[in-house]
Structures are given as C-alpha cells and as structure tokens.
Amino acid sequence: MTAASATPAPSRPASDKWRYVAGFMAFAVLSGIAFFGTMSVLVPQRLRADLGMGAVESTAALGAINSAGSIASIFIALFVGALSDRTRSRWGKRTPWIFTGAFIYGICFWSLSRPSSALLIAIFYILALVGLNMVQAPIYALISDRVEESSRATVSAAIGGGGVIGQGIGTLIGSRFMENVEIGFICTGLCALAAGVLAVILAPKEPSSKDLPKDTSKPMWRIILESLTPPLKDCGDFYRAFICRTCLIVAYQMIFSYQLYILTDHIHDTDAQAANAMAIISVLTMVASLVASLISGPIADALHRRKAPIAVACAVFALGLAMPWIFRPRWACSSSAASPPSATACTCPSTRR
C-alpha cells in the first residue's frame, strides 16, 4: 500500500474492534482451509491419481506449479495494492476488491478439479492467486486504514492465529477427500468464497471513497517499481531477517507441500494410510503452532534477547525436518509436523523486533 493509505484511524466504538477481529479471523481460517486443503492434499493427489502421473513427473509438476504461483503472487499483490489505493466507489477503496476477489478465488479453486493437464492446473492456480490477493492485500490495508492503532496487534494476532487453525483444518479436510477429490475441491472452493464474503459482512462497513481526491502524484508503474526495489542503506537488520525468514519458509514448504508424496513414496503408505497420517499431522501442526505462538513472545521478552531464541528455534526446526530422513516410521513424520511449525512461530516475534 502507498504511504497515503496508512493514515491514523479515527476513534471508533469498542465493538468495531471485535467486528474486525471476527471478520478478519474468519477470512484467515477459511482461506487457510481452502489453500492448504487444496495445495497440500487435493492437487498433489489429483496429479498422481487422476492425471496418472508417476512419482517423478508429479513431484516435478507440483514444484513447477508452486514456483509459478509464488513468483506471480509477488507482482499480483503489488498491482492489486496499488489499484485498491486509487479505487473510488460508494463501497470504499477495499470492499469492491475483497468481494470480487472472493468469487474469483472460490471459482478458480473449484476449477482446479476440471483441467486434464498440469499446465492447465498451473494456470487456474495462478488465477486463484489473483483472487486471493484481491482479498488479502486490501484486508491487510484495512488494518492500517480503519483499525485503531491500539487494536491493530489484536487484529493482526487474530489473522495469524486464524491462519494456523485454517492450515490444520484444511489439511484434515483434504485428507478426508483423497478418494473423492471432486467433492474436496467443492468444499475448498466454497471456503475460499466464504473467506472474502464473511470478511466484508462481519467487519464494519467501509465508508464511501467516491469523494476522496485521486492520488496522481506518481504513476502506478513507478509505485510498483519502488515497491520491488530493495533497501540499500542502513538495512543490515532487514536483510538478516529476510534471509532467516526466507530460508525457514523454503524449508517448511519443501516438506509440507510434498508431505503426501513423502508418506506414499518414502514411508510407502497406501492412500488410506496416508490420509489417516495427514489427519494426525494436521492436528499436531495446529496445536504446536498455537502453543509456540503463545509462548515465544513472552520468552523472548523475558530473555531480552532475540538471536538466542532464533538459533534454538532453527535447531529445533532442522531436527524436525530431519526426522523422516533419519527414520522411516510414520511417527517420524508426526515429529516433523510438530517441530517446524512451532519453530517458525518462535522466530516470528524475534524477527519482527
């Protein structure tokens, strides 16, 4: 978002805070269900079972799909953010984007059940990410636009906690539909649609932006270019945090994007056994992440140190990731599921200070 959009929010009734918490947490939970149910379970299963790909082909295809989506999301988010800053309508700057994006998000996630090739799945996935960013970027902007500064931490925590809950529930739901992915895609598509719609309904109504002056100080291409330009002066802390978080996320996704294939190809589970294992893993992931999120901040504050907790968390992370490599039994994958999310959560309070 541009600097112009990050204006102090005027005083509002206390009930507005909890409406934002409810609306944005509903978005985070439902979007997490849709995204992780689809990309951690249903799409990998569809590549393998429905499209008849072998182990090598399906693994490579899933990696290409995720990579294309990640690269596209960088530009989509910046473009949507710049456009929503300049939107003038009776429904406000953000609401039209959230509402429209919800339908694109939901329809495209359901449409992932239709293509007959990995290329078409990748195209529909990128279109779904357009919808997701049309919802997500304006919601994050609304926190600075409309939520009082004293309530922003609570609202942000609701989004973070909701995302953790959604990830666990999404993987659990996806694993229940491995034998019938068509129904699974319908469920995740409906969750994606409901994520944006409920955010609009539950959160306080955004005021009209129709009469706001238009920001013509910079062309859109320049705003996007400046957003993509990395800092170059007095930015050592930024790059240290950036490298740390990037390595953590890459390692995390290397496991959780492929956990179905790890269970079937490495542990040699059947589809039914893999579904049951993923159900257990999803619960462990959710519990470990929530506990770590609650205790990591107070621990870092009590120690008055940031680097030591990060080092310990990364060591726990590495140990958890190594479990399926060292040990083949299914309990090793369960340990791997519990350790990385909790370690990731522990690094967040430290890297944000």
Side-chain angles (χ1 to χ4, degrees), residues 2-10 93 143-147 152:
T2 62
S5 67
T7 55
K93 294 190 292 184
I143 295 177
S144 58
D145 285 351
R146 306 292 305 159
V147 179
R152 288 174 189 171

Side-chain angles (χ1 to χ4, degrees), residues 7-304:
T7 55
S11 179
R12 295 185 176 85
S15 60
D16 280 6
K17 168 185 174 179
W18 299 111
R19 290 187 64 187
Y20 281 118
V21 167
F24 292 173
M25 188 170 186
F27 157 74
V29 171
L30 290 168
S31 183
I33 292 172
F35 189 87
F36 287 97
T38 298
M39 297 310 299
S40 293
V41 185
L42 298 178
V43 166
Q45 176 69 0
R46 182 140 202 277
L47 291 172
R48 185 69 62 87
D50 292 359
L51 301 189
M53 290 185 171
V56 175
E57 294 84 356
S58 58
T59 302
L62 183 61
I65 290 169
N66 283 322
S67 298
S70 298
I71 294 170
S73 288
I74 297 173
F75 299 97
I76 294 168
L78 292 173
F79 189 70
V80 169
L83 281 177
S84 69
D85 283 341
R86 298 180 174 215
T87 298
R88 301 294 179 265
S89 77
R90 57 181 291 192
W91 299 284
K93 294 190 292 184
R94 317 298 181 189
T95 301
W97 288 91
I98 297 171
F99 196 77
T100 305
F103 283 89
I104 297 173
Y105 186 21
I107 291 170
C108 288
F109 258 12
W110 165 76
S111 298
L112 289 171
S113 65
R114 315 314 302 171
S116 56
S117 71
L119 177 60
L120 289 175
I121 288 177
I123 292 172
F124 277 104
Y125 176 51
I126 291 173
L127 291 175
L129 290 178
V130 172
L132 171 58
N133 280 282
M134 287 175 66
V135 177
Q136 187 170 265
I139 280 179
Y140 290 157
L142 276 174
I143 295 177
S144 58
D145 285 351
R146 306 292 305 159
V147 179
E148 289 186 331
E149 189 171 357
S150 59
S151 302
R152 288 174 189 171
T154 302
V155 174
S156 297
I159 293 176
V164 170
I165 295 169
Q167 176 181 349
I169 296 175
T171 307
L172 179 62
I173 290 175
S175 68
R176 298 296 90 185
F177 290 106
M178 281 180 56
E179 298 297 326
N180 192 346
V181 294
E182 175 69 31
I183 302 299
F185 279 113
I186 291 173
C187 291
T188 56
L190 288 174
C191 286
L193 171 62
V197 173
L198 281 179
V200 171
I201 292 173
L202 295 177
K205 182 179 178 182
E206 186 184 7
S208 171
S209 63
K210 188 167 56 175
D211 298 326
L212 290 178
K214 293 186 176 181
D215 182 10
T216 58
S217 58
K218 293 181 182 178
M220 190 180 303
W221 66 266
R222 188 167 182 178
I223 294 173
I224 295 175
L225 182 63
E226 289 177 355
S227 299
L228 289 170
T229 303
L232 300 175
K233 293 182 179 179
D234 301 322
C235 51
D237 288 343
F238 166 80
Y239 280 108
R240 279 189 286 272
F242 176 80
I243 292 171
C244 175
R245 290 290 294 166
T246 299
C247 290
L248 286 171
I249 296 301
V250 169
Y252 184 87
Q253 291 299 327
M254 286 174 68
I255 295 294
F256 279 83
S257 293
Y258 290 95
Q259 66 177 348
L260 176 60
Y261 293 164
I262 291 171
L263 288 166
T264 56
D265 299 342
H266 182 66
I267 310 298
H268 301 299
D269 278 354
T270 64
D271 282 354
Q273 289 174 325
N276 289 331
M278 292 185 76
I280 296 170
I281 288 171
S282 66
V283 174
L284 288 174
T285 299
M286 184 165 51
V287 173
S289 297
L290 286 172
V291 171
S293 297
L294 290 173
I295 67 174
S296 58
I299 289 175
D301 289 338
L303 292 174
H304 301 292

Side-chain angles (χ1 to χ4, degrees), residues 324-340:
W325 174 49
I326 300 172
F327 306 102
R328 282 187 181 273
R330 199 175 298 114
W331 65 263
C333 283
S334 299
S335 300
S336 177
S339 301

